[in-house]
Amino acid sequence: MTWEPRPSPVVTPENEPYWTGGLDGELRIQRCRDCDLVYVYPRAHCPDCLGDGVEWFVASGRGTVYSYTVAHQVAGWPEAELPLVNAYVELDEGPRLMTNLVDCDPADVAVGVSVEVRFEPSEDGAFAVPVFTPV
Amino acid sequence: MDTAEPVYIAGAYEHPTRNAPDKSTEQLHAEVARGALQDAGLSKADVDGYLTAGVPEHEDGLPSLTPLIMADYLGLDVAFADSTDFGGSAYMSHVGHAVSAIRDGKCDVALVTLAGRPRSAQQATGTGVRALTAVQDTYERLYGATTLAHYAMAARRHMAEFGTTSEQLAEVRVAAAHHAQYNEHARFRDPVSIEDVVGSRMVADPLHLMDCCVITDGGGALVVVSDAVRDELDRECVEVLGHGEAIAHHDAGRIDLTRTGAVDSGRRAFAEAGLGPDDVDYASIYDSFTITVVETLEDLGFCEKGEGGTFVEGGTLQAPDGDLPFNTDGGGLCSNHPNRGGMTKIIECVRQLRGEANPEVQVDADVGVAHGTGGSIATRHGSVTLVLGGEDR
């Protein structure tokens, strides 16, 4: 249930800290200083107030499973690494993030299960992809 | 909207093919355009508006060029064009935009076309990881998240929150298959049971193979006309009573997998029509997956949020006797889904309101709803709702 190394993400000046954070073991997300919104995915402007007073911070890396699926057929995904668990994790800081659940028996996954972040390197080694595992 | 000029769908045509290995996508566009114009009793020279989206085999990040490419191919001379692209629901949007353009005097005869060849192109529709068309896609693609996985996550959340069961989702496929047996063009025509659906291969838990729509080649077209043009036609027409659209998305990480844009598009369309869900006799509901239908029925107001599973139990959706007959051509689940299923939803609604549905599933319908969900309800999607009325309403 892993795909290591991961394909490299599309990196822009807006999201670069997000994709490099994992190299330091940090899940970096953003907060708007003006309206206090904590949000994903990264943007240079707050998606609520459109202000540019946004800042990066290191999230706890903890959350719960908001929803998930155990995918048995994924074109292009290595056959040996199926099934694949796709999930939305609700971070303790609030936002819901699409990800994979790894290093777990799919039968043990359920909505509401507590999870913790870990990182898998991109194929070029320059970035890291946040995934989660049940704790 | 009582004072607004009435606008009508005068022509509708669905391509009979479900497999077109020897035709180009553009050729299918032309064949459905010809079919819809013949159905309306109009000629190509009458067309002064053109709306289309996506030439799926050739999508390369330039969807806005589609009307140029296709107007060139079809040899159209138009005063109004639109390429709004919501994925599968785009064509419902086009009908709404054609209505506005006609009321504004920009055109009188608007042609809407769809064609796709995912089956011949052997596209891994549903189980393929979507091509990257925007930076945002990277947050999903890296996780091997397929369209199917997106909808499966919605289904899982709906089940966790409301107790919806696989057997309830299966009711949707059972109804579609019941209808498809009477459609000689349907991709799959065999009736199925709830046991067949829940016993079919699990592709993305909790969705089984039979919870998923078919992959076909095909297409369809519509002709939308002004009141003045309609008066000159010897053709039963369907009035566009209401149109509403909405875009729903991640919402900065507050995404609700149990709520679709139909909440907003439906409310807007019903308000424009001056009608409500209780007035609807027939519903064409985008059925990419069974869960899409259950959530949409709730969001359009046919039942309370969370009660969609209970609502569809016991044959509610089955024509001709169910309380809310739906997708009487077999829908995307059984009949036709050429990448994008919105067009066929409109066409079958028109057939019902004109009394031209397959006789075994024809219902006594004065008001119909056609609803589309394009994109993915687990990331970003465009919802469009049309409320249509028959001539004898």
Side-chain angles (χ1 to χ4, degrees), chain A residues 2 7-8 22 25 31 50 52 56 59 63 75 88 91 120 123 126 129:
Chain A
T2 59
S8 297
R31 162 197 300 128
L50 213 56
D52 55 9
W56 290 93
Y88 261 107
L91 301 176
E120 292 180 356
E123 59 191 0
V129 176

Side-chain angles (χ1 to χ4, degrees), chain A residues 40-41 43 87-88 96-99, chain B residues 130 136-141 143 145-147 149-151 153-154 247-257 259-261 373-382:
Chain A
V40 296
Y41 49 86
R43 270 156 282 192
Y88 261 107
R96 294 167 186 160
L97 182 73
M98 194 186 287
T99 187
Chain B
R130 276 180 181 242
Q136 290 95 312
D137 296 338
T138 203
Y139 304 108
E140 298 132 25
R141 192 189 65 150
Y143 299 108
T146 63
T147 301
H150 289 179
Y151 283 80
M153 285 192 280
I247 293 174
H249 45 65
H250 289 99
D251 193 19
R254 292 166 295 205
I255 191 166
D256 180 348
L257 291 178
R259 182 189 194 278
T260 75
T373 310
S376 163
I377 57 175
T379 56
R380 54 198 85 84
H381 65 274

Side-chain angles (χ1 to χ4, degrees), chain B residues 13-23 28 31-32 116-117 119-120 185-187 216-219 335-338:
Chain B
Y13 180 80
E14 181 183 4
H15 204 293
T17 192
R18 301 294 183 265
N19 190 21
D22 300 324
K23 292 184 177 181
L28 294 176
E31 291 176 1
V32 295
R117 295 174 65 257
R119 186 175 173 193
S120 289
H185 302 301
R187 174 83 170 88
T216 63
D217 302 338
S335 174
N336 194 9
H337 193 265

Side-chain angles (χ1 to χ4, degrees), chain B residues 349-363:
Chain B
C349 196
V350 168
R351 289 186 189 122
Q352 278 288 352
L353 293 169
R354 294 200 298 206
E356 297 168 358
N358 292 311
E360 298 85 351
V361 294
Q362 177 68 52
V363 297

